[in-house]
Amino acid sequence: MRTPAIAATAISALLLSACGGTSAEPDAKPSSGSDDKSVVLLTHDSFTLPKEVLAEFTEKTGYTAEIRHAGDGGELTTKIALDTGNPDGDAVFGVDNTFASRAIDQGALAAYTPETVPAGVDEFNLPGDEEHFLTPVDNGSVCVNIDTKWFAAKKLAPPESLDDLAEPAYKDLFVTPGAATSTPGMAFLLATVAEYGEDGWSDYWGKLMDNGAKVVDGWDQAYYSDFTQGGGKGTRPIVVSYDSSPAFTVKDGKTTTEALLDTCFRQVEYAGVLKGADNPEGAQALIDFMLSGSVQGALPESMYVFPVSSSVELPADWAKFAQQPTSPLSVEPEEIEKNREAWLATWSDTIAK
């Protein structure tokens, strides 16, 4: 999904760059995926799991997972849609609820329901996916974050809502990744669509821009370069980030940031069996394994997302500082698919004025 704050360097070290893909075994030779003991997982660039967890998959099933990265979540979905019936892998992980309907509508996936589903997982099933093409694996929410230390030092009451961001008190203080170039940026755009409706969201963005909002290409730039708690020389104390971000700004037992939980749009990431896979049985075994306690328990510290299983214990800092919204903003997947390009065109025109 993403690589928050202090995790980016560690994850980069774990990911093996490659043109044709990467492998769970660093010294393994690339596989064609035709070996019936090899399972090829197509996924986004932020995917990583501990080596011992992937080794456990092999020990329990006899299959070896070969990991192939395919860009961000949007690029990944586009790839499997274009390759429908002739996929470059057996399973896919990282299609989220903003792109899921595209993969299903294109017929890129084969229906599969895991035999054992942990408690809590059904809450995250994709609305409308009655045949169960996709299995939820993790979740996280894109939320406006604020630098509480900065606001305390300035003796300025921090914003509490999306409306507040357009108030003069917060002029030139807000930065967001762009919707056309960033998954969290797209999620924030959808949050405004959900909050203000079809007739109001573009007017809201006009007010944001008039109030000095800064739009940058990606989350990394917004958080690390422009946000005052990003570790650099940022000057803006309000940023679009994640509900888990406050767990990464803890100093002396206290966090210096806060996620505004009434501004959040929830992302759920799914796994599925690719139609036409060389090894559909192996793909099903891999999806089953991604719901196991080993994978679900590794998600927070490996990919900085929340597990979908309610039986997993979160790391201590997450339990204390990474609070999730109880009523996140949402837009139906069909509405997103139907309107995505038109919304992006309107959004681009609005921020360019």
Side-chain angles (χ1 to χ4, degrees):
M1 180 176 284
R2 71 279 189 182
T3 53
I6 61 174
T9 302
I11 285 183
S12 297
L14 289 171
L15 296 177
L16 303 173
S17 63
C19 296
T22 60
S23 171
E25 298 297 333
D27 297 325
K29 295 180 180 179
S31 165
S32 65
S34 59
D35 179 355
D36 63 4
K37 289 301 180 185
S38 175
V39 182
V40 178
L41 177 67
L42 296 183
T43 186
H44 53 55
D45 289 345
S46 295
F47 175 87
T48 186
L49 285 173
K51 289 177 62 176
E52 57 269 26
V53 172
L54 292 168
E56 181 183 330
F57 171 67
T58 300
E59 180 180 346
K60 288 186 172 180
T61 67
Y63 295 112
T64 298
E66 180 183 337
I67 312 301
R68 293 181 181 172
H69 298 112
D72 65 18
E75 292 170 319
L76 172 67
T77 307
T78 298
K79 177 175 176 55
I80 65 171
L82 290 173
D83 293 345
T84 293
N86 186 29
D88 193 31
D90 301 304
V92 62
F93 164 75
V95 175
D96 74 9
N97 50 317
T98 69
F99 285 98
S101 57
R102 175 176 295 180
I104 292 174
D105 291 347
Q106 287 291 321
L109 301 163
Y112 175 65
T113 302
E115 291 186 5
T116 302
V117 177
V121 174
D122 288 344
E123 175 188 346
F124 298 96
N125 283 339
L126 183 71
D129 183 17
E130 305 300 337
E131 296 183 62
H132 209 277
F133 291 105
L134 289 166
T135 297
V137 174
D138 66 56
N139 77 102
S141 294
V142 172
C143 311
V144 174
N145 276 228
I146 59 171
D147 177 352
T148 53
K149 188 176 180 181
W150 187 94
F151 280 101
K154 298 292 183 181
K155 300 186 185 314
L156 175 65
E160 297 179 349
S161 67
L162 292 175
D163 279 352
D164 287 347
L165 302 184
E167 293 295 325
Y170 307 110
K171 187 174 180 61
D172 297 333
L173 299 184
F174 175 56
V175 59
T176 178
T181 53
S182 161
T183 301
M186 183 66 193
F188 181 63
L189 169 59
L190 293 173
T192 63
V193 170
E195 178 71 11
Y196 298 104
E198 185 66 40
D199 297 330
W201 71 264
S202 62
D203 288 342
Y204 173 74
W205 273 91
K207 293 176 183 176
L208 274 185
M209 300 310 295
D210 289 344
N211 205 38
K214 184 177 181 180
V215 179
V216 298
D217 284 346
W219 176 85
D220 280 10
Q221 182 180 351
Y223 198 91
Y224 293 126
S225 298
D226 290 289
F227 185 45
T228 48
Q229 280 292 320
K233 297 181 180 179
T235 60
R236 293 181 179 247
I238 311 172
V239 65
V240 168
S241 193
Y242 299 94
D243 52 359
S244 59
S245 297
F248 297 92
T249 56
V250 176
K251 186 176 182 180
D252 299 328
K254 296 181 179 179
T255 184
T256 56
T257 62
E258 176 185 350
L260 304 184
L261 299 183
D262 289 336
T263 68
C264 301
F265 185 89
R266 177 169 289 170
Q267 289 179 300
V268 180
E269 291 191 312
Y270 300 91
V273 178
L274 291 166
K275 185 178 289 183
D278 289 335
N279 189 354
E281 293 81 10
Q284 293 172 6
L286 183 55
I287 291 171
D288 290 347
F289 185 68
M290 295 189 80
L291 293 179
S292 69
S294 298
V295 173
Q296 291 289 300
L299 288 171
E301 294 186 341
S302 296
M303 291 194 280
Y304 307 93
V305 290
F306 290 89
V308 290
S309 170
S310 59
S311 61
V312 170
E313 184 175 351
L314 293 172
D317 279 351
W318 280 60
K320 188 172 183 179
F321 300 112
Q323 300 300 310
Q324 291 191 281
T326 55
S327 300
L329 298 163
S330 64
V331 180
E332 291 297 319
E334 294 81 3
E335 286 298 306
I336 297 172
E337 184 62 24
K338 183 172 69 175
N339 296 298
R340 180 188 293 108
E341 299 309 318
W343 287 342
L344 283 174
T346 300
W347 176 84
S348 296
D349 289 344
T350 302
I351 67 166
K353 291 179 181 176

